Amino acid sequence: RKEEYVLAIRARTELDNSELNKHDTERLKQIWSLVRPRKPKSPLPPGWKKLDVAALKQIYEDQVRPDIDRPNDKHWIKWNRPTLVTEIHLWHAQVMETAEPEDLFSETPLCSKCRIPMCVRTNRVTKTDFLGCVRFPLCRETLPLTYNGMHTKHVIEDLQKNEKEEKDLKEREMMAGYRKAVPKLTRSLPVSTEQRGESSDGSWAVTGPQPVDETQDEGEGPNLYNTNISREELEMVMELRKSKEHAEK
Ligand SMILES: [Zn+2]
């Protein structure tokens, strides 16, 4: 029983056998409940097979008939209960088969170490809620419930999206021959999802047509955009810089 949990959890997290075997079966059960695949949400009310004929006809008329593209000619009006149940059941089975599983991690972010959705806990002293790892005390990862009033999960998703965009942009620049030492990002929270170009001396340039966001300039540290520069000018600057670097060597 315990081994089954270990195997199943291992397949869906970053954890190995030895790490998982430190937990008892109860805790493994709890972890499994957080990482197991979820069934898609059914479009029908629970226990719909027990509904009366009128209600079943309504379901057929409102949900099934438009979805399977049959004429709205009340062809179901004389159907009996078993026929209705069969028709709805067949449709339902197909819907469930093609439906996307529900977002497994819809409520909380993943523990960055274990890749398990975190749990909401309450600090015993301050009575404030925070996110903690279900493997506590073996894993002591925590996160605040919110960042600047935003759900932490959404902040993390934005961050990841930004990081990916920065990476993509960097790759594009590399491809274009703009080999630059890009300073490590110091920004810790996402403020925008725009793509940015970056240069090694701290001045900023955008490598393509880019909308200017004036609101970014105030109180956000250094001016991030040098918008008075065209692509051609930028390329010239890059060339100049390159030849200067050569000369210095
Ligand atoms: Zn953890």
Side-chain angles (χ1 to χ4, degrees):
R1 196 72 196 155
K2 184 175 175 176
E3 294 74 52
E4 282 172 44
Y5 278 120
V6 168
L7 278 175
I9 295 167
R10 198 186 62 182
R12 296 182 63 82
T13 63
E14 298 283 293
L15 303 166
D16 59 20
N17 285 12
S18 65
E19 208 42 51
L20 287 168
N21 274 315
K22 291 178 192 163
H23 294 296
D24 62 16
T25 312
E26 264 319 295
R27 183 68 71 96
L28 289 172
K29 223 187 224 175
Q30 196 189 351
I31 296 173
W32 177 241
S33 74
L34 290 167
V35 300
R36 74 185 165 83
R38 299 282 195 278
K39 276 192 190 152
K41 206 168 153 42
S42 169
L44 296 177
W48 64 269
K49 284 184 186 179
K50 293 192 182 98
L51 295 172
D52 63 20
V53 173
L56 289 173
K57 279 182 181 169
Q58 202 63 54
I59 287 174
Y60 184 85
E61 183 172 0
D62 294 344
Q63 289 176 261
V64 184
R65 205 270 324 153
D67 198 45
I68 59 177
D69 229 12
R70 287 186 66 176
N72 192 5
D73 56 4
K74 302 268 174 195
H75 59 267
W76 57 91
I77 208 79
K78 287 199 171 126
W79 285 356
N80 57 16
R81 235 181 143 276
T83 308
L84 280 161
V85 169
T86 306
E87 289 286 326
I88 296 171
H89 173 78
L90 287 174
W91 168 79
H92 187 241
Q94 192 142 33
V95 167
M96 294 304 276
E97 210 175 287
T98 51
E100 293 286 322
E102 274 189 87
D103 182 6
L104 174 56
F105 309 128
S106 59
E107 296 302 319
T108 57
L110 300 183
C111 168
S112 59
K113 285 184 186 146
C114 317
R115 315 303 296 168
I116 299 171
M118 296 178 92
C119 303
V120 179
R121 303 196 183 287
T122 308
N123 183 301
R124 253 174 289 177
V125 182
T126 64
K127 302 288 175 209
T128 46
D129 287 343
F130 64 98
L131 294 165
C133 185
V134 65
R135 297 182 64 233
F136 181 87
L138 286 179
C139 174
R140 291 178 176 271
E141 284 286 292
T142 59
L143 282 173
L145 211 52
T146 57
Y147 264 117
N148 298 334
M150 266 174 79
H151 199 306
T152 299
K153 189 197 179 228
H154 300 151
V155 177
I156 290 174
E157 282 169 352
D158 281 354
L159 251 181
Q160 285 166 343
K161 205 173 139 221
N162 270 17
E163 266 166 26
K164 195 183 170 296
E165 279 170 3
E166 303 272 4
K167 206 174 142 248
D168 290 349
L169 187 68
K170 236 192 277 179
E171 270 163 21
R172 276 206 300 280
E173 284 176 350
M174 300 278 256
M175 300 283 274
Y178 300 145
R179 223 166 228 289
K180 290 176 287 180
V182 178
K184 198 166 162 30
L185 288 170
T186 47
R187 193 171 74 247
S188 58
L189 289 174
V191 278
S192 78
T193 52
E194 294 130 74
Q195 298 174 345
R196 287 168 184 176
E198 217 173 338
S199 67
S200 50
D201 64 357
S203 68
W204 284 75
V206 177
T207 53
Q210 198 92 11
V212 183
D213 188 356
E214 309 265 8
T215 59
Q216 287 281 314
D217 294 346
E218 240 98 283
E220 291 262 353
N223 191 345
L224 298 183
Y225 290 94
N226 181 356
T227 51
N228 301 320
I229 190 166
S230 72
R231 191 188 173 87
E232 288 72 33
E233 284 169 321
L234 172 69
E235 278 169 12
M236 269 170 60
V237 170
M238 299 308 296
E239 280 305 314
L240 270 173
R241 223 173 257 161
K242 235 192 265 172
S243 53
K244 209 175 134 201
E245 273 166 27
H246 266 289
E248 277 165 6
K249 264 176 209 167

